[in-house]
Amino acid sequence: PSWHLFCTLPVGGNKPMPIQTPTILLVEDNPVDMEIMNVLLSPFYEVDSCLHGALALEMLKHKNYDLLISDIVMPVMGGIELATVVGAHYPKIPVLIISNRSWEYHGYRENYPNVKHWVNKPFKPSTLVGLVAGTIAENSPINYGNQTLDETE
């Protein structure tokens, strides 16, 4: 991931070191669903949004993201194709799929290893916020000054 957590203890005086806000790319073609997820996540994360997978791939070329959240059924490029391309070209970016197509849930871990969670619509706000926080925490290194501790190794 592109972000780092820094120790907030005073270093070289009384100034704490900064904490960088994690970034999320939200891919959703339904404007109401997009707005709901933006309202839920933007108090905690920097959230960029787009309407389909092809736009998401363009955005990934220009910015590092800590998490990709995607719907499945979208115009131009859907979430399954997007997860496949992201897994091949950006394997360190975890993906969270949000869909009302629960029958596709079976086998997602084997077929799409970068898809960490599958959330069925409708979902509870606390479910989304909790899974996002957990997924970002699971996939982020913890940095103390110049020394990195990666819990995934």
Side-chain angles (χ1 to χ4, degrees):
S2 62
W3 62 285
H4 305 283
L5 290 176
F6 295 97
C7 179
T8 58
L9 298 174
V11 176
N14 291 329
K15 295 181 182 177
M17 296 179 74
I19 297 177
Q20 189 171 344
T21 303
T23 57
I24 295 173
L25 178 54
L26 173 60
V27 190
E28 172 62 70
D29 64 323
N30 181 311
V32 174
D33 288 348
M34 182 186 287
E35 182 63 23
I36 289 169
M37 288 186 274
N38 265 306
V39 167
L40 290 171
L41 299 172
S42 61
F44 312 104
Y45 307 100
E46 180 184 327
V47 181
D48 294 337
S49 304
C50 64
L51 297 172
H52 57 74
L55 288 173
L57 291 177
E58 278 302 308
M59 293 173 76
L60 284 163
K61 291 178 185 177
H62 303 287
K63 186 173 179 179
N64 294 321
Y65 290 95
D66 300 300
L67 178 65
L68 175 86
I69 300 174
S70 181
D71 187 17
I72 289 186
V73 179
M74 296 178 289
V76 184
M77 178 187 284
I80 295 296
E81 184 179 356
L82 175 61
T84 302
V85 174
V86 169
H89 296 282
Y90 307 94
K92 292 188 175 191
I93 299 176
V95 177
L96 194 151
I97 295 288
I98 297 185
S99 177
N100 59 2
R101 300 177 78 168
S102 61
W103 64 86
E104 293 182 21
Y105 173 81
H106 301 290
Y108 80 90
R109 289 186 194 272
E110 296 82 22
N111 297 324
Y112 311 99
N114 61 323
V115 176
K116 303 302 179 187
H117 298 284
W118 188 291
V119 180
N120 290 318
K121 292 180 184 177
F123 53 84
K124 293 181 181 178
S126 60
T127 299
L128 177 66
V129 172
L131 285 174
V132 167
T135 303
I136 288 175
E138 288 171 6
N139 291 283
S140 66
I142 299 173
N143 293 313
Y144 295 96
N146 293 329
Q147 186 177 18
T148 300
L149 302 175
D150 190 341
E151 295 180 333
T152 61
E153 292 180 347

